[in-house]
Amino acid sequence: MKARFILFVLVIVTAANGCKKPKYDRPEPAPPTEKKWIVTTMAGEGTPSFVNGPVSSATFHFPEDVAAAADGTMFVTDVLNFCVRKIAAGQVSTFAGSSGFGIVNGNGISAQFKNPYSVTLDAAGNLYTTDENDPRIRKISPGGNVSTYAGTETPGFANGNADTARFFPGNSITADAQGNVYIADAINNRIRKISVTGQVSTIAGSDTAGFRDGIGASAQFSFPGGIALDRQGNLYVADRGNFRIRKITQDGQVSTFAGSGIPGVENGSAAEAEFSAELRDIVIDSEGNLYLIDFNRIRKISSQGVVTTLAGSTAGFRDGDASSAKFDFPAGLGIDPQDNIYVADLNNNRIRKISFE
């Protein structure tokens, strides 16, 4: 009798529910993961020495600058190994130099550098380098042939033919799509150009260090450093002695792009932001944002002129979120067509990558 009663109740309940399908709890869709800047180590084990091979075990000795080719190949000026290294397909190799300390032209490892400093690529795949201990500008063909592109062994200042022009050592360099090369000639306080026809000229600045906006030689710089070109042909220069980023239009008009002139690390609007005297390299992404080294930080100046800190703080070594990552005297920057940023982290003897993931 009890079993019949239970069955009767179940029939009543089922009828009342109108044969509805059972209801199950469905999990809420996971919220989209927020993209953020991530710092990783691309190459270098960290020991200051010279070892080629897989990127995880290869070593550098004070990597100063890095340039990224369109196919993902990287070139690094390795200061105390006296050479230019190549990173491709997960391997580090020697592209040019390493046969000794000196200035010798030739192919690949038969060439010599003293302390290769800044490096840039043109659209044809040629590399151009400066040297901390020699005033000449060197050119390295895609096949690794090293030649003197401009300057003589005597430091100084002279425009004219590339083979008689003079520069001082330790300059930053960049190139445009046509193959013209631009140099921030720090000790001469000038921005120079080497045309594709082999003529050296001064775009802006004079022999007097100072701060003045204006056109050409009427403008003044103080120990200019990192230099970069945007897609419109404007140059941006890290004006270290003036704690500012300067802009030079194609007609030679110099203006202040960012920086109050007060040394510091304050972020904010372009007019209020502060920079240190350790302003070094600059790169520009596809949207016109600038990224620059400022001591142990990588800072960003948006195309709207807002200055922020992208990564880094005090000296150290740490990969991970850009907000917590650390560098130790980063010296040079590179950028690839996907806007990934590469850092020659000098005291950590590593090449680091900053990507938006």
Side-chain angles (χ1 to χ4, degrees):
M1 186 71 180
K2 187 173 182 180
R4 289 181 181 179
F5 176 76
I6 293 172
L7 179 61
F8 176 76
V9 171
L10 287 173
V11 170
I12 296 298
V13 171
T14 302
N17 285 337
C19 297
K20 291 180 181 178
K21 292 182 179 180
K23 183 179 180 181
Y24 300 103
D25 290 333
R26 295 180 180 178
E28 293 292 329
T33 303
E34 183 180 355
K35 294 180 72 175
K36 55 187 175 182
W37 290 98
I38 302 294
V39 178
T40 56
T41 296
M42 180 185 178
E45 177 260 338
T47 303
S49 60
F50 178 80
V51 176
N52 284 323
V55 292
S56 59
S57 58
T59 61
F60 302 86
H61 198 171
F62 287 0
E64 179 72 39
D65 197 10
V66 58
D71 66 357
T73 301
M74 313 291 297
F75 298 93
V76 179
T77 49
D78 197 356
V79 175
L80 291 186
N81 283 320
F82 323 122
C83 64
V84 177
R85 312 282 291 279
K86 178 180 177 179
I87 307 172
Q91 297 285 317
V92 177
S93 60
T94 302
F95 186 60
S98 84
S99 65
F101 176 88
I103 299 295
V104 175
N105 291 326
N107 191 266
I109 62 173
S110 67
Q112 290 184 356
F113 300 87
K114 290 184 178 178
N115 299 122
Y117 185 68
S118 183
V119 63
T120 191
L121 277 161
D122 69 14
N126 298 295
L127 284 168
Y128 302 87
T129 67
T130 60
D131 200 290
E132 281 187 312
N133 277 302
D134 190 87
R136 285 167 280 198
I137 313 300
R138 314 282 291 283
K139 178 180 178 179
I140 312 173
S141 73
N145 191 62
V146 180
S147 59
T148 298
Y149 190 64
T152 70
E153 63 181 335
T154 304
F157 172 77
N159 286 324
N161 292 333
D163 59 352
T164 58
R166 291 186 180 183
F167 305 87
F168 276 100
N171 297 321
S172 294
I173 191 170
T174 193
D176 64 20
Q178 291 73 43
N180 300 295
V181 174
Y182 302 87
I183 298 155
D185 196 348
I187 296 176
N188 280 317
N189 296 296
R190 294 173 169 97
I191 309 305
R192 318 272 298 276
K193 176 182 178 179
I194 310 171
S195 71
V196 292
T197 60
Q199 292 296 305
V200 178
S201 59
T202 298
I203 293 176
S206 67
D207 59 352
T208 303
F211 172 72
R212 184 188 298 143
D213 288 333
I215 295 180
S218 67
Q220 290 181 340
F221 299 85
S222 180
F223 205 62
I227 184 169
L229 273 161
D230 68 13
R231 296 188 174 187
Q232 290 71 47
N234 301 302
L235 283 166
Y236 296 84
V237 180
D239 194 1
R240 291 174 286 191
N242 286 314
F243 317 110
R244 293 174 168 97
I245 306 301
R246 313 286 290 282
K247 178 180 178 180
I248 310 173
T249 61
Q250 291 188 64
D251 61 1
Q253 179 69 50
V254 180
S255 60
T256 299
F257 185 68
S260 64
I262 300 170
V265 294
E266 192 70 29
N267 291 319
S269 69
E272 298 171 341
E274 298 171 354
F275 301 97
S276 79
E278 289 297 336
L279 281 171
R280 293 176 73 83
D281 209 5
I282 300 175
V283 292
I284 304 176
D285 70 14
S286 59
E287 297 181 354
N289 302 300
L290 274 67
Y291 302 88
L292 56 135
I293 293 172
D294 191 358
F295 203 28
N296 291 308
R297 295 171 170 85
I298 312 301
R299 302 180 72 184
K300 176 182 177 180
I301 308 175
S302 73
S303 54
Q304 291 77 38
V306 178
V307 181
T308 56
T309 298
L310 179 67
S313 55
T314 56
F317 172 73
R318 183 184 297 151
D319 284 335
D321 291 350
S323 58
S324 61
K326 289 192 174 186
F327 304 87
D328 192 353
F329 202 74
L333 295 176
I335 192 165
D336 67 18
Q338 291 74 45
D339 291 336
N340 297 303
I341 300 164
Y342 301 89
V343 184
D345 195 357
L346 189 135
N347 281 345
N348 280 319
N349 294 292
R350 293 174 169 97
I351 305 302
R352 317 280 293 281
K353 179 181 180 180
I354 310 176
S355 53
F356 194 58
E357 299 177 354

